Amino acid sequence: MTSTCLMNCHFIGSIYKASKTYLTTCIRRCSRLSTNGNPSMITIQGQTFQPDEMTTLTPNIIEKVGCNLHNQQNHPLCLIKQCITNFFYKQFTRLGNPLFSVYDNISPIVTVSANFDSVLTPPDHVSRRKGDNFYINKDYMLRAHTSAHQSELIKSGLDAFLVIGDVYRRDHIDASHYPVFHQMEGVQLYSNFQLFGEKSNKTSLFEDGERTVEKQQFHTMIAAKSLEHQLKTTLEGCIQELFGSGLEIKWVDAEFPFTHPSWELEIKFQGEWLEVLGCGIMEQEIISSAINGQKIGYAFGLGLERLAMILFDIPHIKLFWTEDERFLNQFKAKDICSIKFQPYSKYPPLLMDISYWCPPNYEANDFHDLVRNIGGDLVEAVELIDEFVHPKTNVISRCNRITYRSMDRTLTKEEASQIHWKIAAAAEHLLKVDIRKK
Ligand code: FA5
Ligand code: MG
């Protein structure tokens, strides 16, 4: 076991101990969470797991499992889900019926193998890092993307489907990143005839060629380019359906273990480029290990919060979790395209800094989790504003600026200071940082 593992294990253990009251409150509030009378076990939605050295799950994250915001009527995530699925229903039909099957209720508890191996993620790939994922234990995790379901659904015989669900990542904290967010996965497979129609007797999908930046070794250039065109025009059509044509967008080359070539789409929002989706031509190995037929396909994963933020003018991602009627009531209009969120909180943010020396193997996402556990949604952002290495001891010093703000009420300086003080104390105790200044 590495010392990082030890540190995380200790961290999680302590978080569980330290937040016993918090956990009990959660259990009362949320029947789906319980420790099953045995605090060393984790029970999520009726399933019980033995934590181990890979566990990174925290109580405030377990509390979110089963909330299914994307299935709550009139929630902005549900509205955007409906808009996009309607677009696919309209766009693709077979004999008058929608071509795409839609799944919006698949459990986010998946095997580590489904999340990574089934989509060809190598054992040493960065996306598997303990610091970036919510592992339940070494075999199970909360899915980090809806791509975790691609392979099983293709194996079940589907060749066009959408999967909408909550996904979980230990990420940094700001207006467009949240540890629980929602994705829509899309997969469409094509036979030669489905891609080329009448011309298919003169074309071929496969060849024994070379892998280049433009295509996989198994695909003919014409098949790869046609599929790329089909994928990009479909997604651009979807974006146009949502936002009209006045939006600035750009395609950026990307890399995913499960697609090649791959791209991301960015949209200009509040003066900045915001990445809203990843996509690409599916690695042939995923398709051929799932079905016998001669098909190729594309896949994409949309970030629903970011699309909803652009569509409805929602300034911060944490607002999706508020239960404040002043937020939720704004999404009850009939014509959803006309909805523009009117901010109801004009309260100024409170900024507080914390500087500390890091222990060896310090993980920034441990600090982010800790801040969220203690500050909850009163924390709007955590920025790294300074970092340096001590010239003699080689110890790293970091200074984080934490932005506190409530969307629902005035947050006093005393209240924010108390949270800030608790964060400093917990960081010292649990993460073994040496506080320099708070
Ligand atoms: C993926 O998750 C891939 N599985 C997408 C994919 C599917 C690619 C199929 C190819 C084929 P990525 O990590 O880039 O890729 O996330 C996809 C989208 O989710 C991003 O474009 C962004 O819109 C959203 N997203 C990612 N991280 C966060 C976060 N922390 N908070 C909110 N939204 C996020
Ligand atoms: Mg990305």
Side-chain angles (χ1 to χ4, degrees), residues 145 147 169 171 178 181 183 185 256 264 275-277 301 303:
H145 55 176
S147 304
R169 285 188 205 170
D171 218 328
Y178 201 82
F181 59 101
Q183 286 188 335
E185 189 84 8
F256 299 103
E264 285 176 338
E275 181 207 312
V276 294
L277 67 90

Side-chain angles (χ1 to χ4, degrees), residues 360-418:
N361 298 319
Y362 171 82
E363 285 271 357
N365 280 340
D366 285 345
F367 184 72
H368 295 147
D369 280 356
L370 182 140
V371 172
R372 261 191 218 286
N373 274 320
I374 295 170
D377 282 349
L378 294 179
V379 175
E380 189 163 286
V382 179
E383 283 166 272
L384 180 65
I385 55 168
D386 187 38
E387 186 174 39
F388 67 88
V389 181
H390 190 285
K392 289 206 178 108
T393 59
N394 272 342
V395 177
I396 299 169
S397 164
R398 286 167 67 97
C399 181
N400 285 118
R401 175 156 297 161
I402 306 182
T403 307
Y404 299 94
R405 186 195 327 231
S406 166
M407 293 286 171
D408 314 328
R409 64 196 165 82
T410 308
L411 191 63
T412 63
K413 185 126 198 264
E414 287 67 39
E415 204 179 342
S417 302
Q418 267 193 19

Side-chain angles (χ1 to χ4, degrees), residues 218-266:
F218 313 105
H219 298 158
T220 58
M221 187 62 93
I222 186 162
K225 287 290 172 193
S226 302
L227 205 53
E228 175 180 340
H229 176 76
Q230 186 69 27
L231 168 64
K232 287 183 171 171
T233 49
T234 299
L235 291 173
E236 283 171 15
C238 177
I239 295 297
Q240 182 154 353
E241 172 93 356
L242 287 176
F243 305 110
S245 48
L247 217 61
E248 259 189 276
I249 64 167
K250 69 173 179 196
W251 286 104
V252 179
D253 289 338
E255 269 185 42
F256 299 103
F258 30 94
T259 49
H260 181 78
S262 310
W263 304 275
E264 285 176 338
L265 185 72
E266 297 185 356

Side-chain angles (χ1 to χ4, degrees), residues 18-42:
S19 45
K20 215 172 155 200
T21 337
Y22 175 75
L23 203 58
T24 323
T25 321
C26 294
I27 295 165
R28 257 189 266 119
R29 208 163 0 127
C30 198
S31 61
R32 55 194 174 268
L33 167 67
S34 98
T35 52
N36 217 14
N38 179 354
S40 68
M41 300 296 282
I42 304 173

Side-chain angles (χ1 to χ4, degrees), residues 246-416:
L247 217 61
E248 259 189 276
I249 64 167
K250 69 173 179 196
W251 286 104
V252 179
D253 289 338
E255 269 185 42
F256 299 103
F258 30 94
T259 49
H260 181 78
S262 310
W263 304 275
E264 285 176 338
L265 185 72
E266 297 185 356
I267 297 182
K268 209 35 145 354
F269 178 55
Q270 295 178 345
E272 308 256 337
W273 288 108
L274 184 64
E275 181 207 312
V276 294
L277 67 90
C279 67
I281 309 300
M282 292 181 72
E283 283 289 350
Q284 198 56 35
E285 197 183 325
I286 298 180
I287 302 174
S288 54
S289 65
I291 54 163
N292 288 325
Q294 296 272 298
K295 293 195 171 179
I296 60 173
Y298 65 61
F300 57 82
L302 311 174
L304 293 187
E305 273 80 355
R306 300 218 182 141
L307 291 169
M309 284 169 81
I310 299 171
L311 184 61
F312 302 126
D313 251 346
I314 297 174
H316 201 287
I317 196 165
K318 71 177 182 175
L319 276 161
F320 290 100
W321 292 92
T322 184
E323 287 174 7
D324 195 313
E325 293 296 321
R326 287 171 296 174
F327 178 79
L328 296 171
N329 284 342
Q330 295 195 30
F331 299 94
K332 289 190 175 147
K334 285 236 158 51
D335 171 17
I336 66 161
C337 289
S338 68
I339 300 173
K340 287 289 168 223
F341 173 64
Q342 302 300 322
Y344 50 82
S345 169
K346 305 257 190 296
Y347 307 120
L350 291 163
L351 309 183
M352 294 187 189
D353 296 348
I354 175 170
S355 314
Y356 49 89
W357 297 110
C358 300
N361 298 319
Y362 171 82
E363 285 271 357
N365 280 340
D366 285 345
F367 184 72
H368 295 147
D369 280 356
L370 182 140
V371 172
R372 261 191 218 286
N373 274 320
I374 295 170
D377 282 349
L378 294 179
V379 175
E380 189 163 286
V382 179
E383 283 166 272
L384 180 65
I385 55 168
D386 187 38
E387 186 174 39
F388 67 88
V389 181
H390 190 285
K392 289 206 178 108
T393 59
N394 272 342
V395 177
I396 299 169
S397 164
R398 286 167 67 97
C399 181
N400 285 118
R401 175 156 297 161
I402 306 182
T403 307
Y404 299 94
R405 186 195 327 231
S406 166
M407 293 286 171
D408 314 328
R409 64 196 165 82
T410 308
L411 191 63
T412 63
K413 185 126 198 264
E414 287 67 39
E415 204 179 342

